[in-house]
Amino acid sequence: MPRQITPFQQTATPDNSRNVQQETTKPTHKTQAAIPPAAPSTTQAASPKPASQPEAKPPAITSLDKVAYCALRQRGKGYCWGGNSPMKGFDCSGLTQYSFRQGASIDIPRTAAAQYQAAIKVPKEEAGRGDLVFFRTRGNRVSHVGIYLGEDRFVHAPRTGKPITTTKLEGYWKRKLVGFGRIPGACQPLLPKSVV
């Protein structure tokens, strides 16, 4: 039976002899590639990545972000029934009213129930930072309000004896939840779109 000759064993033509040289040099090349590159090469290879990051535009900062920031700055202050200023203290709707006035230059009604009536209702999936979150803590009427921060967290003035705080939307608060609301005209960009 005739012996089979693989292409790399044939040496009749110059082209095949080049193949033999390439085949014999490949193991040497692989050995060299196994040596890790020097540290400067690694740094140079990684440098193009940060250059592509500035292309992504940051999200526009809205007045609702400022509303949330104003409310968060009041954390730790005491609850005061009827209160609506940092000097006096806040009740729940006093805190939201103050935050919208300071953060968005918008006057909203004074009570939680009236704020609920004034707000455009939004589903939880669409609720965002600075939207209002409403609860029924007594009876069938909306009686408590906070400012939603996203990721199931909100800031509010809970009750007498409890300071303004951030709370997770779970347990008691999840059971008492009525829904989310957005104040018309409050979600305005603070910077021109061309700048952002």
Side-chain angles (χ1 to χ4, degrees):
M1 185 174 189
R3 199 180 101 190
Q4 279 190 324
I5 298 174
T6 62
F8 294 111
Q9 292 172 332
Q10 294 173 352
T11 57
T13 63
D15 290 334
N16 286 341
S17 62
R18 279 193 206 115
N19 287 341
V20 172
Q21 287 177 342
Q22 288 174 357
E23 184 65 23
T24 56
T25 56
K26 279 184 181 176
T28 307
H29 180 68
K30 285 181 183 173
T31 306
Q32 290 172 351
I35 300 169
S41 301
T42 307
T43 308
Q44 289 171 356
S47 60
K49 288 182 182 177
S52 64
Q53 288 177 351
E55 294 175 13
K57 292 183 180 179
I61 297 172
T62 69
S63 51
L64 286 180
D65 292 311
K66 198 170 175 189
V67 166
Y69 174 72
C70 288
L72 285 167
R73 287 189 63 192
Q74 308 310 315
R75 282 182 299 183
K77 290 188 169 68
Y79 179 93
C80 175
W81 189 83
N84 61 357
S85 73
M87 297 297 291
K88 186 177 181 182
F90 296 95
D91 62 12
C92 66
S93 56
L95 174 66
T96 54
Q97 187 183 52
Y98 171 83
S99 299
F100 270 87
R101 185 177 294 135
Q102 296 299 313
S105 300
I106 291 177
D107 283 317
I108 61 174
R110 180 60 182 87
T111 66
Q115 289 175 12
Y116 180 72
Q117 293 299 320
I120 297 169
K121 311 313 179 275
V122 293
K124 183 182 177 183
E125 301 76 38
E126 294 177 22
R129 188 177 176 88
D131 285 332
L132 294 173
V133 55
F134 297 97
F135 305 89
R136 286 189 185 102
T137 54
R138 54 183 185 271
N140 292 325
R141 194 173 180 186
V142 170
S143 53
H144 190 71
V145 62
I147 295 176
Y148 192 57
L149 302 173
E151 298 178 347
D152 284 345
R153 291 172 55 248
F154 63 102
V155 58
H156 65 138
R159 60 183 171 82
T160 303
K162 296 283 184 182
I164 293 167
T165 188
T166 55
T167 302
K168 193 84 171 159
L169 193 54
E170 60 186 11
Y172 173 83
W173 294 108
K174 191 173 183 179
R175 289 193 305 273
K176 299 294 183 177
L177 177 67
V178 173
F180 299 85
R182 187 166 296 155
I183 297 300
C187 189
Q188 301 296 325
L190 295 178
L191 298 172
K193 286 182 181 178
S194 58
V195 176
V196 177

